Amino acid sequence: MKASRLSEAKLTILKIGGSVITDKNEELAARTQEINRLAEEVQEAGIKGLIIVHGGGSFGHPSAMKYAIKDGLKEDSQKIGFSETHHFMTVLNGLLMDSLIWHDVPAVSVTSSSCITTENGRIKHFEDAPVRAFLKMGFIPVLYGDAVIDTNMGFTILSGDQIVSSLAVRLDAERIVMGIDVDGLYDADPKVEKTARMFRRITSKELKELQSRLREPTACDVTGGMVGKVLELLPAVEHGIPVIMVNALKPGYICNVLGGKKVEGTVIEKE
Amino acid sequence: MKASRLSEAKLTILKIGGSVITDKNEELAARTQEINRLAEEVQEAGIKGLIIVHGGGSFGHPSAMKYAIKDGLKEDSQKIGFSETHHFMTVLNGLLMDSLIWHDVPAVSVTSSSCITTENGRIKHFEDAPVRAFLKMGFIPVLYGDAVIDTNMGFTILSGDQIVSSLAVRLDAERIVMGIDVDGLYDADPKVEKTARMFRRITSKELKELQSRLREPTACDVTGGMVGKVLELLPAVEHGIPVIMVNALKPGYICNVLGGKKVEGTVIEKE
C-alpha cells in the first residue's frame, strides 16, 4: 500500500480483537499493557480519518454466553444478563478510551446499542450522523461489539466485525485493518495445528472456497472466531475495500500498518 | 399522587443531579455511598416504566469549563477537551450502572452523544428508537448530560435537564422527579440566603414570574444551576407533565416518591 493513498479524505477502520486487549481464558481480564501500547501506536501513527472498533473478549462474551443474549429475549431472567453484558463492554471500552485520551488522541466512544438496532442479528438501522460528524471534525470514533436491540428477537449480540463491515461500506473506507492475536489468516487454526499455512493474499472468491475448511475458534466467542470474522467482512471486501489482517500483539505492527508501511500479515482483496 | 396512576404504561423520568452523586467542590469525586443508596432505592421502589437521567457534577463540568466545550469548536486544542469531557461522563455513568446492576436493576446506559445531535445547543435530532425499545421490554434506560455534536457550533454541552424535558414530551411521561441536593425550589438560593422560602407548589406561570428573581448557582455548573434546571423543564410542564423536586440526599425520599408516596418537596404544574 502506498503512503500517498492515505490522504485526509481516506478512511481506515481499525478493528482491535477482543483477544488482543483481554485474556479470553479469564473473566474481565484486561491486558492493560497491550491497551496502552496500542494507544501509543495509534498516537504515533497520527493518521487522519480513523475509526476504531473493538471486540468484547473476556468482558462481553462470558455474560453473553451465560444468559444466551445472542438467542434473543426468551425469559425475564435474561434481562439482567443483557444489562451486565452491555455494562461490561462499556467498562472495557472505558479502559481503552482512558488510554487513548491519556496519549492525547482525540477519541470519542460511540455506543453501538445507543445508535444501532438489528433485525434477526443483522444491522437494520444505524444512526451514523454522530460518527460522520466526529470524523469530519477530526475525532477518532471508537465503537465496539455490544448487546443491542433486535426488532424481531428483542435483543441480540452485535459483533464488532459486523460493525466494521457496515461502517466500511457506508463510509466508503479505503481499508480495514484487523488487529488480531495471530499473524494472519491460516488454512487451519494455527493455535491447534502446527502445520497451518498462512495466506499472504487471498481473494474473496478463494475465501469462500476456504470457508468450509476453517476451524472453530479455540476459546469462547459468541460472535464466532476467525471464521465469523472473515465471513463478516466479505461485504466490505466485495465492495472493493481491502482487509489487512495483522498481529496486533507484535509491537509496532499496528503503528506501521496505519502509517502505510508494509508488514507481515494477510491481505484480503476482491480480485 | 395516587399509586393507581402508576400503571405499567405510565412513565416516570427520574433526574439525579450531578451535585447529588458527586462532590462538586472537587474534581472527579464520586459520592459512591449516595450512588449505592440511590441504586438501592430504585430497586426497592421496583416501578415499571422508568428512565433515569443524571448530571455531570465534578466529572463533566471541570473539563467542559476548562475547554469551553459549551461555546462550540473554535480551535483544535479543544478537541481533546471534548474527548475528556465525554469520557469522564462515561466513567461517572459507569459507577451508577455498576451499582444499579449489582442491585439487580435491569438498567442499560444510553449514550446521549451517540444518539442526539443539537443545533445551537438545542436538541435537533434524537434517535430514540433504542430508548423506546428498552422501555417496552422492561429495561431502565439511563442517559446523562454529555458533550455532543452540534450541527452549527461543531459541538456543545447538552444538559441532563434538556434531555429530561425532551424525553418527557416525546414519550408523554406521567411525571418528572428531580432528585436534587436541596429540599425543593426556593425563591432564593437556600445555600446562600437563610431566609430563602421553599415553594410547595408552583405553576409554570408563577415560575416565569419568579425567573428573574432566582439567583445564580453557587458552584461551577456550565449548564446552569437551579435556574437553568427549572426553565429547561418548562416545555414538559406546559405539556401537562408535573415536575416533583425532592431532596435525593435524604434517605428514602426517592424510593417513596417513585412508589407514589407523598414526600416533602416542590411540585411544578401547568395550572
Side-chain angles (χ1 to χ4, degrees):
Chain A
M1 182 165 300
K2 289 172 194 160
S4 61
R5 286 182 66 194
L6 300 173
S7 68
E8 207 166 314
K10 296 293 185 182
L11 171 66
T12 298
I13 300 181
L14 168 64
K15 167 81 196 296
I16 303 177
S19 52
V20 172
I21 53 174
T22 75
D23 180 350
K24 289 180 98 168
N25 298 312
E26 307 268 340
E27 279 194 29
L28 303 176
R31 288 173 158 171
T32 49
Q33 271 195 317
E34 304 298 338
I35 290 173
N36 288 333
R37 181 183 51 75
L38 286 167
E40 206 177 314
E41 291 195 30
V42 168
Q43 178 200 30
E44 270 184 43
I47 65 162
K48 305 268 183 191
L50 178 65
I51 293 176
I52 298 174
V53 179
H54 65 83
S58 66
F59 281 71
H61 295 298
S63 288
M65 288 286 279
K66 182 180 168 194
Y67 293 95
I69 303 303
K70 199 178 182 181
D71 300 340
L73 175 60
K74 287 170 182 173
E75 45 191 77
D76 257 19
S77 60
Q78 287 175 289
K79 282 185 194 167
I80 197 71
F82 180 96
S83 292
E84 197 177 280
T85 304
H86 170 62
H87 176 54
F88 288 160
M89 284 308 303
T90 70
V91 173
L92 176 60
N93 175 254
L95 297 175
L96 178 61
M97 300 314 297
D98 220 53
S99 191
L100 285 167
I101 294 168
W102 177 258
H103 284 93
D104 223 28
V105 174
V108 181
S109 63
V110 174
T111 304
S112 306
S113 53
S114 299
C115 57
I116 303 176
T117 51
T118 60
E119 186 178 73
N120 295 320
R122 309 305 305 170
I123 293 175
K124 172 81 173 174
H125 183 74
F126 192 157
E127 171 53 40
D128 61 12
V131 171
R132 290 178 190 269
F134 283 131
L135 267 180
K136 203 172 166 189
M137 279 194 279
F139 286 105
I140 297 178
V142 181
L143 295 91
Y144 46 95
D146 200 0
V148 300
I149 291 289
D150 188 283
T151 53
N152 195 39
M153 303 158 72
F155 51 59
T156 192
I157 294 295
L158 173 63
S159 72
D161 300 303
Q162 192 183 149
I163 297 171
V164 166
S165 192
S166 172
L167 278 173
V169 171
R170 65 177 59 221
L171 300 179
D172 205 22
E174 189 199 23
R175 56 178 183 159
I176 293 168
V177 175
M178 296 288 285
I180 53 178
D181 66 340
V182 289
D183 287 346
L185 183 68
Y186 290 79
D187 60 357
D189 188 336
K191 291 177 184 168
V192 178
E193 300 193 24
K194 298 276 181 197
T195 59
R197 194 177 57 92
M198 193 184 95
F199 298 95
R200 300 279 158 198
R201 185 180 174 279
I202 187 166
T203 65
S204 49
K205 194 182 159 206
E206 291 166 338
L207 196 57
K208 284 181 207 161
E209 289 161 12
L210 176 72
Q211 177 180 342
S212 61
R213 289 194 284 131
L214 283 171
R215 300 293 190 279
E216 288 297 311
T218 50
C220 135
D221 183 341
V222 288
T223 65
M226 206 60 83
V227 183
K229 280 183 209 309
V230 166
L231 291 180
E232 202 58 86
L233 298 173
L234 272 184
V237 174
E238 294 190 336
H239 190 79
I241 303 161
V243 173
I244 310 160
M245 301 175 79
V246 291
N247 195 333
L249 290 173
K250 291 193 170 169
Y253 274 41
I254 290 296
C255 180
N256 282 338
V257 75
L258 288 181
K261 288 180 193 148
K262 203 167 166 58
V263 297
E264 189 195 9
T266 300
V267 175
I268 311 174
E269 281 176 308
K270 194 175 180 182
E271 280 312 322
Chain B
M1 182 168 299
K2 289 173 194 160
S4 61
R5 287 183 64 195
L6 301 172
S7 70
E8 207 167 313
K10 296 294 184 181
L11 171 66
T12 297
I13 300 181
L14 168 63
K15 167 80 197 295
I16 302 177
S19 52
V20 172
I21 54 175
T22 76
D23 180 350
K24 289 180 98 167
N25 297 311
E26 307 268 340
E27 279 195 28
L28 301 176
R31 288 173 158 171
T32 49
Q33 271 196 316
E34 304 297 338
I35 290 173
N36 288 333
R37 181 182 50 76
L38 286 168
E40 206 178 316
E41 291 196 30
V42 168
Q43 178 200 28
E44 271 185 42
I47 64 161
K48 306 267 183 194
L50 178 65
I51 294 177
I52 298 174
V53 180
H54 66 82
S58 66
F59 281 70
H61 295 299
S63 289
M65 287 286 280
K66 183 180 167 194
Y67 293 96
I69 303 303
K70 200 178 181 182
D71 300 340
L73 175 60
K74 288 173 181 172
E75 45 189 79
D76 256 19
S77 60
Q78 287 175 290
K79 282 185 193 165
I80 197 71
F82 180 96
S83 293
E84 196 177 281
T85 304
H86 169 63
H87 176 55
F88 287 160
M89 283 308 302
T90 70
V91 172
L92 176 60
N93 175 255
L95 296 175
L96 179 61
M97 300 314 296
D98 220 53
S99 191
L100 285 168
I101 294 167
W102 177 258
H103 285 93
D104 223 26
V105 174
V108 181
S109 62
V110 174
T111 305
S112 307
S113 53
S114 298
C115 56
I116 304 176
T117 50
T118 60
E119 186 178 74
N120 296 319
R122 308 306 305 171
I123 293 174
K124 172 82 173 175
H125 184 74
F126 191 157
E127 171 53 40
D128 61 11
V131 172
R132 289 177 190 270
F134 283 130
L135 267 181
K136 203 172 165 189
M137 279 194 278
F139 286 105
I140 297 177
V142 181
L143 295 92
Y144 46 94
D146 200 359
V148 300
I149 290 289
D150 188 284
T151 53
N152 194 41
M153 302 157 72
F155 52 58
T156 192
I157 295 294
L158 172 62
S159 72
D161 301 303
Q162 192 183 150
I163 296 171
V164 166
S165 192
S166 171
L167 278 172
V169 171
R170 65 176 58 219
L171 300 179
D172 205 20
E174 189 199 25
R175 55 177 183 161
I176 294 168
V177 175
M178 296 288 284
I180 53 179
D181 68 340
V182 289
D183 288 345
L185 183 67
Y186 290 79
D187 61 356
D189 187 336
K191 291 177 184 168
V192 178
E193 301 192 23
K194 298 276 181 199
T195 58
R197 194 176 58 92
M198 194 183 95
F199 297 95
R200 299 280 158 196
R201 184 178 175 279
I202 187 168
T203 66
S204 49
K205 194 181 160 206
E206 290 166 337
L207 196 58
K208 285 181 205 162
E209 289 162 11
L210 175 73
Q211 177 180 341
S212 59
R213 289 193 283 132
L214 282 171
R215 300 292 191 280
E216 287 298 310
T218 51
C220 134
D221 183 340
V222 288
T223 65
M226 206 59 84
V227 182
K229 280 182 208 313
V230 166
L231 292 180
E232 201 59 87
L233 297 173
L234 271 184
V237 174
E238 294 190 334
H239 190 79
I241 304 161
V243 174
I244 310 161
M245 303 175 78
V246 291
N247 195 332
L249 290 173
K250 290 193 170 170
Y253 274 41
I254 290 296
C255 180
N256 282 336
V257 76
L258 288 180
K261 289 180 193 148
K262 203 168 168 52
V263 296
E264 190 195 10
T266 300
V267 175
I268 311 174
E269 281 177 306
K270 194 175 180 184
E271 282 310 321

